[in-house]
Amino acid sequence: MSGEDAIAKQKQMTIIVTKGTLDWAYPPFILATTAAAMDVNVSMFFTFYGLQLLKKDLGHLRVSALGNPAMEMPLAGLHLTMPNVAAALPGMDALSTTLMRNLIKRKGVASIEDLREAALDSEVEMIGCRMTMDLFEWTAGDLVEGIAIGGAATYMEKALKSDINLFI
């Protein structure tokens, strides 16, 4: 089988990444790196708030407990859920973010920075949405190196050829 035949037979996957919070950053990167490890050709299209995940510094990523009734944190031997009304109180996002970052570190889960780097090392294609960049007045210099910039047509070309298309 020639190299071109092998590429043509390789499974393809696209992921549209629309969320830019710490907790929502994990699913697309975990799926992308796992698929790449399984020899799937992966393209990730980052649009709207998902574009936050391509910023050079990810220290700004937060967790919002508001509107997330499934959020449960192991704390002091208990599994605590936060009532939605408490999530609306000032400082709860900061508290939720701190609890999540501590949990991630304590459990040895890879950071988003590490997962993003692993995806780039695995040749996962990352595409930042041009329209979103224009909307929020971002430049390519605001984003990590090694990504492409494109629009909906760029994504559609890849999605039409893909075996798996995910919207996260």
Side-chain angles (χ1 to χ4, degrees):
M1 183 181 323
S2 74
E4 290 180 18
D5 289 342
I7 291 172
K9 290 187 184 259
Q10 187 178 24
K11 294 280 187 189
Q12 309 281 320
M13 181 170 91
T14 67
I15 304 172
I16 299 177
V17 183
T18 63
K19 308 285 191 293
T21 60
L22 178 63
D23 49 338
W24 276 97
Y26 276 90
F29 283 118
I30 288 172
L31 290 169
T33 54
T34 300
M38 298 171 74
D39 202 29
V40 175
N41 187 346
V42 181
S43 292
M44 302 173 77
F45 183 72
F46 296 81
T47 188
F48 277 85
Y49 306 114
L51 195 60
Q52 294 283 337
L53 305 180
L54 294 182
K55 281 188 167 179
K56 291 177 181 172
D57 180 15
L58 297 176
H60 68 287
L61 296 182
R62 301 282 181 258
V63 173
S64 178
L66 191 60
N68 189 358
M71 186 173 173
E72 183 180 279
M73 290 277 189
L75 189 64
L78 302 172
H79 285 186
L80 302 176
T81 55
M82 184 179 311
N84 266 339
V85 68
L89 297 173
M92 293 310 289
D93 281 355
L95 175 62
S96 298
T97 300
T98 298
L99 290 172
M100 183 65 79
R101 287 192 187 279
N102 288 341
L103 181 64
I104 289 167
K105 189 173 186 176
R106 193 173 66 243
K107 296 291 184 174
V109 174
S111 70
I112 295 302
E113 292 87 343
D114 290 343
L115 287 171
R116 183 175 67 187
E117 188 66 31
L120 286 169
D121 290 346
S122 301
E123 299 182 8
V124 169
E125 182 182 35
M126 296 187 198
I127 305 166
C129 177
R130 166 56 66 199
M131 185 207 70
T132 303
M133 291 178 65
D134 292 344
L135 181 68
F136 295 136
E137 300 179 358
W138 292 9
T139 67
D142 296 319
L143 307 177
V144 292
E145 292 182 19
I147 65 161
I149 306 296
T154 304
Y155 167 76
M156 286 306 301
E157 286 176 19
K158 297 181 181 306
L160 289 169
K161 298 175 189 169
S162 291
D163 304 285
I164 303 166
N165 295 302
L166 302 175
F167 182 91
I168 300 175

mmCIF file of all heavy atoms in Angstrom, residues 43-82:
data_model
loop_
_atom_site.group_PDB
_atom_site.id
_atom_site.type_symbol
_atom_site.label_atom_id
_atom_site.label_comp_id
_atom_site.label_asym_id
_atom_site.label_seq_id
_atom_site.Cartn_x
_atom_site.Cartn_y
_atom_site.Cartn_z
ATOM 1 N N SER A 43 -8.766 16.662 13.417
ATOM 2 C CA SER A 43 -8.777 18.119 13.267
ATOM 3 C C SER A 43 -9.700 18.705 14.323
ATOM 4 O O SER A 43 -10.818 18.218 14.506
ATOM 5 C CB SER A 43 -9.295 18.543 11.891
ATOM 6 O OG SER A 43 -8.407 18.169 10.881
ATOM 7 N N MET A 44 -9.215 19.728 15.025
ATOM 8 C CA MET A 44 -10.022 20.417 16.024
ATOM 9 C C MET A 44 -10.256 21.837 15.537
ATOM 10 O O MET A 44 -9.300 22.530 15.170
ATOM 11 C CB MET A 44 -9.311 20.447 17.382
ATOM 12 C CG MET A 44 -8.960 19.079 17.934
ATOM 13 S SD MET A 44 -7.934 19.174 19.431
ATOM 14 C CE MET A 44 -9.183 19.610 20.657
ATOM 15 N N PHE A 45 -11.529 22.252 15.538
ATOM 16 C CA PHE A 45 -11.883 23.600 15.108
ATOM 17 C C PHE A 45 -12.373 24.370 16.332
ATOM 18 O O PHE A 45 -13.393 24.031 16.920
ATOM 19 C CB PHE A 45 -12.979 23.538 14.037
ATOM 20 C CG PHE A 45 -13.366 24.866 13.466
ATOM 21 C CD1 PHE A 45 -12.509 25.550 12.620
ATOM 22 C CD2 PHE A 45 -14.598 25.433 13.755
ATOM 23 C CE1 PHE A 45 -12.863 26.787 12.076
ATOM 24 C CE2 PHE A 45 -14.968 26.660 13.220
ATOM 25 C CZ PHE A 45 -14.090 27.332 12.371
ATOM 26 N N PHE A 46 -11.622 25.389 16.730
ATOM 27 C CA PHE A 46 -11.910 26.161 17.943
ATOM 28 C C PHE A 46 -12.655 27.432 17.566
ATOM 29 O O PHE A 46 -12.120 28.280 16.852
ATOM 30 C CB PHE A 46 -10.610 26.523 18.662
ATOM 31 C CG PHE A 46 -9.861 25.334 19.168
ATOM 32 C CD1 PHE A 46 -9.055 24.585 18.320
ATOM 33 C CD2 PHE A 46 -9.963 24.954 20.487
ATOM 34 C CE1 PHE A 46 -8.364 23.479 18.790
ATOM 35 C CE2 PHE A 46 -9.275 23.849 20.969
ATOM 36 C CZ PHE A 46 -8.471 23.112 20.121
ATOM 37 N N THR A 47 -13.890 27.543 18.045
ATOM 38 C CA THR A 47 -14.687 28.709 17.709
ATOM 39 C C THR A 47 -15.333 29.287 18.962
ATOM 40 O O THR A 47 -15.464 28.610 19.978
ATOM 41 C CB THR A 47 -15.744 28.348 16.629
ATOM 42 O OG1 THR A 47 -16.386 29.536 16.182
ATOM 43 C CG2 THR A 47 -16.754 27.352 17.150
ATOM 44 N N PHE A 48 -15.729 30.504 18.880
ATOM 45 C CA PHE A 48 -16.284 31.263 19.999
ATOM 46 C C PHE A 48 -15.468 31.018 21.271
ATOM 47 O O PHE A 48 -14.264 31.153 21.246
ATOM 48 C CB PHE A 48 -17.786 30.999 20.155
ATOM 49 C CG PHE A 48 -18.561 31.887 19.199
ATOM 50 C CD1 PHE A 48 -18.765 31.509 17.885
ATOM 51 C CD2 PHE A 48 -19.014 33.124 19.611
ATOM 52 C CE1 PHE A 48 -19.423 32.347 16.998
ATOM 53 C CE2 PHE A 48 -19.678 33.962 18.736
ATOM 54 C CZ PHE A 48 -19.880 33.568 17.435
ATOM 55 N N TYR A 49 -16.091 30.641 22.377
ATOM 56 C CA TYR A 49 -15.340 30.563 23.636
ATOM 57 C C TYR A 49 -14.314 29.447 23.631
ATOM 58 O O TYR A 49 -13.372 29.470 24.426
ATOM 59 C CB TYR A 49 -16.312 30.460 24.811
ATOM 60 C CG TYR A 49 -17.314 31.596 24.771
ATOM 61 C CD1 TYR A 49 -18.663 31.366 24.555
ATOM 62 C CD2 TYR A 49 -16.885 32.924 24.867
ATOM 63 C CE1 TYR A 49 -19.563 32.413 24.460
ATOM 64 C CE2 TYR A 49 -17.774 33.975 24.766
ATOM 65 C CZ TYR A 49 -19.119 33.713 24.561
ATOM 66 O OH TYR A 49 -19.995 34.758 24.451
ATOM 67 N N GLY A 50 -14.455 28.494 22.753
ATOM 68 C CA GLY A 50 -13.459 27.435 22.639
ATOM 69 C C GLY A 50 -12.111 27.970 22.191
ATOM 70 O O GLY A 50 -11.069 27.360 22.465
ATOM 71 N N LEU A 51 -12.120 29.105 21.519
ATOM 72 C CA LEU A 51 -10.856 29.700 21.062
ATOM 73 C C LEU A 51 -9.962 30.063 22.247
ATOM 74 O O LEU A 51 -8.743 30.141 22.107
ATOM 75 C CB LEU A 51 -11.145 30.925 20.194
ATOM 76 C CG LEU A 51 -10.009 31.459 19.347
ATOM 77 C CD1 LEU A 51 -9.496 30.421 18.368
ATOM 78 C CD2 LEU A 51 -10.458 32.712 18.599
ATOM 79 N N GLN A 52 -10.566 30.253 23.431
ATOM 80 C CA GLN A 52 -9.777 30.534 24.648
ATOM 81 C C GLN A 52 -8.715 29.459 24.888
ATOM 82 O O GLN A 52 -7.673 29.737 25.471
ATOM 83 C CB GLN A 52 -10.707 30.595 25.873
ATOM 84 C CG GLN A 52 -11.673 31.740 25.870
ATOM 85 C CD GLN A 52 -11.024 33.052 26.251
ATOM 86 O OE1 GLN A 52 -9.978 33.068 26.909
ATOM 87 N NE2 GLN A 52 -11.613 34.155 25.829
ATOM 88 N N LEU A 53 -9.002 28.234 24.445
ATOM 89 C CA LEU A 53 -8.098 27.106 24.708
ATOM 90 C C LEU A 53 -6.841 27.158 23.857
ATOM 91 O O LEU A 53 -5.925 26.369 24.063
ATOM 92 C CB LEU A 53 -8.821 25.778 24.504
ATOM 93 C CG LEU A 53 -10.105 25.603 25.315
ATOM 94 C CD1 LEU A 53 -10.726 24.249 25.036
ATOM 95 C CD2 LEU A 53 -9.851 25.808 26.795
ATOM 96 N N LEU A 54 -6.811 28.067 22.904
ATOM 97 C CA LEU A 54 -5.608 28.223 22.074
ATOM 98 C C LEU A 54 -4.745 29.400 22.503
ATOM 99 O O LEU A 54 -3.696 29.642 21.912
ATOM 100 C CB LEU A 54 -6.006 28.373 20.600
ATOM 101 C CG LEU A 54 -6.656 27.144 19.969
ATOM 102 C CD1 LEU A 54 -6.963 27.406 18.498
ATOM 103 C CD2 LEU A 54 -5.781 25.910 20.126
ATOM 104 N N LYS A 55 -5.187 30.138 23.528
ATOM 105 C CA LYS A 55 -4.350 31.232 24.011
ATOM 106 C C LYS A 55 -3.043 30.672 24.574
ATOM 107 O O LYS A 55 -3.011 29.547 25.100
ATOM 108 C CB LYS A 55 -5.077 32.027 25.100
ATOM 109 C CG LYS A 55 -6.092 33.000 24.562
ATOM 110 C CD LYS A 55 -6.605 33.876 25.685
ATOM 111 C CE LYS A 55 -7.373 35.046 25.132
ATOM 112 N NZ LYS A 55 -7.900 35.895 26.232
ATOM 113 N N LYS A 56 -2.008 31.472 24.471
ATOM 114 C CA LYS A 56 -0.694 31.027 24.946
ATOM 115 C C LYS A 56 -0.732 30.665 26.428
ATOM 116 O O LYS A 56 -0.218 29.640 26.840
ATOM 117 C CB LYS A 56 0.344 32.115 24.694
ATOM 118 C CG LYS A 56 0.645 32.312 23.229
ATOM 119 C CD LYS A 56 1.624 33.436 23.010
ATOM 120 C CE LYS A 56 1.868 33.593 21.509
ATOM 121 N NZ LYS A 56 2.654 34.784 21.193
ATOM 122 N N ASP A 57 -1.347 31.517 27.230
ATOM 123 C CA ASP A 57 -1.437 31.288 28.671
ATOM 124 C C ASP A 57 -2.857 30.826 28.996
ATOM 125 O O ASP A 57 -3.820 31.506 28.637
ATOM 126 C CB ASP A 57 -1.112 32.581 29.418
ATOM 127 C CG ASP A 57 -1.198 32.415 30.922
ATOM 128 O OD1 ASP A 57 -1.236 31.270 31.414
ATOM 129 O OD2 ASP A 57 -1.230 33.452 31.614
ATOM 130 N N LEU A 58 -2.964 29.694 29.660
ATOM 131 C CA LEU A 58 -4.286 29.149 29.999
ATOM 132 C C LEU A 58 -4.631 29.357 31.471
ATOM 133 O O LEU A 58 -5.588 28.774 31.971
ATOM 134 C CB LEU A 58 -4.335 27.658 29.650
ATOM 135 C CG LEU A 58 -4.164 27.328 28.166
ATOM 136 C CD1 LEU A 58 -4.137 25.823 27.949
ATOM 137 C CD2 LEU A 58 -5.277 27.971 27.352
ATOM 138 N N GLY A 59 -3.885 30.186 32.150
ATOM 139 C CA GLY A 59 -4.142 30.436 33.567
ATOM 140 C C GLY A 59 -5.482 31.087 33.835
ATOM 141 O O GLY A 59 -5.961 31.091 34.967
ATOM 142 N N HIS A 60 -6.092 31.627 32.791
ATOM 143 C CA HIS A 60 -7.384 32.313 32.950
ATOM 144 C C HIS A 60 -8.574 31.354 32.934
ATOM 145 O O HIS A 60 -9.693 31.782 33.199
ATOM 146 C CB HIS A 60 -7.547 33.347 31.841
ATOM 147 C CG HIS A 60 -7.696 32.730 30.483
ATOM 148 N ND1 HIS A 60 -6.640 32.139 29.816
ATOM 149 C CD2 HIS A 60 -8.763 32.569 29.702
ATOM 150 C CE1 HIS A 60 -7.074 31.660 28.668
ATOM 151 N NE2 HIS A 60 -8.364 31.898 28.575
ATOM 152 N N LEU A 61 -8.356 30.087 32.623
ATOM 153 C CA LEU A 61 -9.486 29.152 32.518
ATOM 154 C C LEU A 61 -10.132 28.963 33.890
ATOM 155 O O LEU A 61 -9.451 28.788 34.888
ATOM 156 C CB LEU A 61 -9.018 27.807 31.976
ATOM 157 C CG LEU A 61 -8.453 27.802 30.561
ATOM 158 C CD1 LEU A 61 -8.085 26.382 30.146
ATOM 159 C CD2 LEU A 61 -9.435 28.413 29.579
ATOM 160 N N ARG A 62 -11.450 29.015 33.913
ATOM 161 C CA ARG A 62 -12.211 28.907 35.148
ATOM 162 C C ARG A 62 -13.248 27.802 35.039
ATOM 163 O O ARG A 62 -13.583 27.344 33.958
ATOM 164 C CB ARG A 62 -12.950 30.237 35.437
ATOM 165 C CG ARG A 62 -12.050 31.429 35.561
ATOM 166 C CD ARG A 62 -11.376 31.440 36.935
ATOM 167 N NE ARG A 62 -10.512 32.591 37.106
ATOM 168 C CZ ARG A 62 -9.183 32.557 37.000
ATOM 169 N NH1 ARG A 62 -8.577 31.439 36.725
ATOM 170 N NH2 ARG A 62 -8.462 33.635 37.183
ATOM 171 N N VAL A 63 -13.792 27.448 36.189
ATOM 172 C CA VAL A 63 -14.936 26.538 36.280
ATOM 173 C C VAL A 63 -16.105 27.353 36.793
ATOM 174 O O VAL A 63 -15.951 28.112 37.742
ATOM 175 C CB VAL A 63 -14.645 25.376 37.259
ATOM 176 C CG1 VAL A 63 -15.893 24.540 37.481
ATOM 177 C CG2 VAL A 63 -13.505 24.528 36.747
ATOM 178 N N SER A 64 -17.244 27.206 36.166
ATOM 179 C CA SER A 64 -18.448 27.864 36.656
ATOM 180 C C SER A 64 -19.416 26.800 37.155
ATOM 181 O O SER A 64 -19.823 25.925 36.403
ATOM 182 C CB SER A 64 -19.110 28.693 35.551
ATOM 183 O OG SER A 64 -20.297 29.271 36.068
ATOM 184 N N ALA A 65 -19.768 26.906 38.424
ATOM 185 C CA ALA A 65 -20.734 25.963 38.990
ATOM 186 C C ALA A 65 -22.161 26.360 38.624
ATOM 187 O O ALA A 65 -23.075 25.546 38.719
ATOM 188 C CB ALA A 65 -20.581 25.923 40.501
ATOM 189 N N LEU A 66 -22.349 27.593 38.196
ATOM 190 C CA LEU A 66 -23.682 28.079 37.858
ATOM 191 C C LEU A 66 -24.232 27.319 36.657
ATOM 192 O O LEU A 66 -23.592 27.229 35.612
ATOM 193 C CB LEU A 66 -23.621 29.582 37.541
ATOM 194 C CG LEU A 66 -24.968 30.279 37.424
ATOM 195 C CD1 LEU A 66 -25.736 30.165 38.738
ATOM 196 C CD2 LEU A 66 -24.778 31.732 37.066
ATOM 197 N N GLY A 67 -25.401 26.750 36.801
ATOM 198 C CA GLY A 67 -26.027 26.001 35.720
ATOM 199 C C GLY A 67 -25.411 24.633 35.520
ATOM 200 O O GLY A 67 -25.596 24.024 34.474
ATOM 201 N N ASN A 68 -24.672 24.158 36.506
ATOM 202 C CA ASN A 68 -24.032 22.845 36.408
ATOM 203 C C ASN A 68 -24.444 22.007 37.620
ATOM 204 O O ASN A 68 -23.648 21.787 38.532
ATOM 205 C CB ASN A 68 -22.512 23.007 36.340
ATOM 206 C CG ASN A 68 -21.808 21.715 36.011
ATOM 207 O OD1 ASN A 68 -22.439 20.668 35.867
ATOM 208 N ND2 ASN A 68 -20.501 21.777 35.912
ATOM 209 N N PRO A 69 -25.686 21.544 37.653
ATOM 210 C CA PRO A 69 -26.160 20.821 38.833
ATOM 211 C C PRO A 69 -25.464 19.481 39.037
ATOM 212 O O PRO A 69 -25.558 18.914 40.122
ATOM 213 C CB PRO A 69 -27.653 20.637 38.559
ATOM 214 C CG PRO A 69 -27.789 20.714 37.086
ATOM 215 C CD PRO A 69 -26.695 21.658 36.618
ATOM 216 N N ALA A 70 -24.773 18.987 38.038
ATOM 217 C CA ALA A 70 -24.082 17.705 38.180
ATOM 218 C C ALA A 70 -22.715 17.857 38.819
ATOM 219 O O ALA A 70 -22.043 16.871 39.105
ATOM 220 C CB ALA A 70 -23.929 17.044 36.812
ATOM 221 N N MET A 71 -22.300 19.091 39.065
ATOM 222 C CA MET A 71 -20.960 19.312 39.622
ATOM 223 C C MET A 71 -20.897 18.767 41.045
ATOM 224 O O MET A 71 -21.645 19.179 41.905
ATOM 225 C CB MET A 71 -20.630 20.793 39.612
ATOM 226 C CG MET A 71 -19.239 21.081 40.029
ATOM 227 S SD MET A 71 -18.894 22.817 39.787
ATOM 228 C CE MET A 71 -17.309 22.903 40.534
ATOM 229 N N GLU A 72 -19.986 17.851 41.231
ATOM 230 C CA GLU A 72 -19.793 17.224 42.536
ATOM 231 C C GLU A 72 -18.302 17.153 42.787
ATOM 232 O O GLU A 72 -17.545 16.755 41.910
ATOM 233 C CB GLU A 72 -20.405 15.828 42.504
ATOM 234 C CG GLU A 72 -20.333 15.092 43.815
ATOM 235 C CD GLU A 72 -20.966 13.712 43.695
ATOM 236 O OE1 GLU A 72 -22.196 13.634 43.774
ATOM 237 O OE2 GLU A 72 -20.217 12.741 43.507
ATOM 238 N N MET A 73 -17.882 17.564 43.961
ATOM 239 C CA MET A 73 -16.458 17.571 44.291
ATOM 240 C C MET A 73 -16.201 16.686 45.499
ATOM 241 O O MET A 73 -16.888 16.812 46.507
ATOM 242 C CB MET A 73 -15.997 18.989 44.645
ATOM 243 C CG MET A 73 -15.959 19.923 43.504
ATOM 244 S SD MET A 73 -14.433 19.713 42.611
ATOM 245 C CE MET A 73 -14.545 21.092 41.519
ATOM 246 N N PRO A 74 -15.186 15.798 45.387
ATOM 247 C CA PRO A 74 -14.794 15.071 46.588
ATOM 248 C C PRO A 74 -14.026 16.019 47.500
ATOM 249 O O PRO A 74 -13.065 16.656 47.079
ATOM 250 C CB PRO A 74 -13.898 13.952 46.053
ATOM 251 C CG PRO A 74 -13.405 14.444 44.744
ATOM 252 C CD PRO A 74 -14.429 15.414 44.229
ATOM 253 N N LEU A 75 -14.502 16.149 48.728
ATOM 254 C CA LEU A 75 -13.879 17.087 49.663
ATOM 255 C C LEU A 75 -14.011 16.519 51.074
ATOM 256 O O LEU A 75 -15.126 16.253 51.520
ATOM 257 C CB LEU A 75 -14.561 18.460 49.554
ATOM 258 C CG LEU A 75 -13.911 19.609 50.301
ATOM 259 C CD1 LEU A 75 -12.520 19.912 49.743
ATOM 260 C CD2 LEU A 75 -14.777 20.859 50.216
ATOM 261 N N ALA A 76 -12.889 16.341 51.729
ATOM 262 C CA ALA A 76 -12.864 15.858 53.112
ATOM 263 C C ALA A 76 -13.617 14.536 53.270
ATOM 264 O O ALA A 76 -14.360 14.342 54.232
ATOM 265 C CB ALA A 76 -13.425 16.921 54.055
ATOM 266 N N GLY A 77 -13.458 13.650 52.311
ATOM 267 C CA GLY A 77 -14.089 12.341 52.396
ATOM 268 C C GLY A 77 -15.548 12.323 51.983
ATOM 269 O O GLY A 77 -16.193 11.293 52.011
ATOM 270 N N LEU A 78 -16.073 13.454 51.587
ATOM 271 C CA LEU A 78 -17.470 13.537 51.151
ATOM 272 C C LEU A 78 -17.520 13.911 49.671
ATOM 273 O O LEU A 78 -16.556 14.434 49.121
ATOM 274 C CB LEU A 78 -18.217 14.607 51.965
ATOM 275 C CG LEU A 78 -18.236 14.416 53.477
ATOM 276 C CD1 LEU A 78 -18.836 15.642 54.135
ATOM 277 C CD2 LEU A 78 -19.011 13.164 53.842
ATOM 278 N N HIS A 79 -18.638 13.685 49.062
ATOM 279 C CA HIS A 79 -18.882 14.159 47.701
ATOM 280 C C HIS A 79 -19.907 15.268 47.801
ATOM 281 O O HIS A 79 -21.082 15.015 48.050
ATOM 282 C CB HIS A 79 -19.375 13.042 46.797
ATOM 283 C CG HIS A 79 -18.270 12.112 46.412
ATOM 284 N ND1 HIS A 79 -18.427 11.108 45.514
ATOM 285 C CD2 HIS A 79 -16.981 12.052 46.773
ATOM 286 C CE1 HIS A 79 -17.295 10.462 45.351
ATOM 287 N NE2 HIS A 79 -16.397 11.020 46.120
ATOM 288 N N LEU A 80 -19.452 16.488 47.649
ATOM 289 C CA LEU A 80 -20.311 17.643 47.840
ATOM 290 C C LEU A 80 -20.864 18.143 46.518
ATOM 291 O O LEU A 80 -20.123 18.310 45.554
ATOM 292 C CB LEU A 80 -19.520 18.778 48.512
ATOM 293 C CG LEU A 80 -18.904 18.438 49.867
ATOM 294 C CD1 LEU A 80 -18.070 19.616 50.352
ATOM 295 C CD2 LEU A 80 -19.981 18.092 50.870
ATOM 296 N N THR A 81 -22.148 18.386 46.507
ATOM 297 C CA THR A 81 -22.771 19.053 45.359
ATOM 298 C C THR A 81 -23.144 20.452 45.797
ATOM 299 O O THR A 81 -23.465 20.688 46.961
ATOM 300 C CB THR A 81 -24.027 18.313 44.873
ATOM 301 O OG1 THR A 81 -24.927 18.174 45.963
ATOM 302 C CG2 THR A 81 -23.683 16.963 44.309
ATOM 303 N N MET A 82 -23.052 21.361 44.873
ATOM 304 C CA MET A 82 -23.329 22.753 45.199
ATOM 305 C C MET A 82 -24.722 23.118 44.674
ATOM 306 O O MET A 82 -24.982 22.970 43.481
ATOM 307 C CB MET A 82 -22.288 23.664 44.554
ATOM 308 C CG MET A 82 -22.459 25.117 44.924
ATOM 309 S SD MET A 82 -21.216 26.187 44.192
ATOM 310 C CE MET A 82 -19.707 25.359 44.560
#
